[in-house]
Amino acid sequence: MANAVPQKACAACKHQRRRCDANCELAKYFPAEKADDFEDVYHLYGMPNTLKILKSIEEEERDKAIESLIMEAKMRLEYPVHGHFSVARKL
């Protein structure tokens, strides 16, 4: 019997209180250390929309898309009315 190291749940699975398996689509983008980033994205977009956005993008572009979603969610928290547009307007 091999010693199986339990996989640490990603931030998305931890939020949903479910077991994180090898098929988890968000584990690569939201490891357990990025729980705050996932919470921000979750509150702005929700789980179904986040997954829909990821599935609509080519595999090699998904890292940049997740970075963009995280940035937009953080801007929306900091500037709830206009989001990133208020920062662009100030510039």
Side-chain angles (χ1 to χ4, degrees):
M1 182 169 161
N3 290 342
V5 177
Q7 179 182 359
K8 194 172 183 181
C10 69
C13 292
K14 193 178 281 189
H15 175 77
Q16 293 180 326
R17 294 186 177 145
R18 66 180 181 146
R19 185 176 195 151
C20 190
D21 60 1
N23 297 333
C24 182
E25 298 174 4
L26 296 175
K28 176 181 174 186
Y29 308 108
F30 295 107
E33 299 81 36
K34 288 189 161 189
D36 292 336
D37 291 342
F38 174 75
E39 290 289 329
D40 295 343
V41 171
Y42 176 79
H43 286 296
L44 183 61
Y45 295 102
M47 184 67 76
N49 287 334
T50 303
L51 290 172
K52 191 185 308 181
I53 290 168
L54 279 179
K55 288 178 183 178
S56 69
I57 298 173
E58 297 293 325
E59 185 72 34
E60 59 272 0
E61 298 293 322
R62 289 183 183 174
D63 289 333
K64 293 293 182 185
I66 288 295
E67 288 177 27
S68 180
L69 292 177
I70 292 170
M71 183 191 67
E72 175 66 27
K74 288 188 181 301
M75 286 290 157
R76 185 60 67 173
L77 278 176
E78 191 171 340
Y79 305 102
V81 176
H82 298 293
H84 71 280
F85 178 71
S86 64
V87 174
R89 191 172 61 193
K90 286 180 184 177
L91 292 175

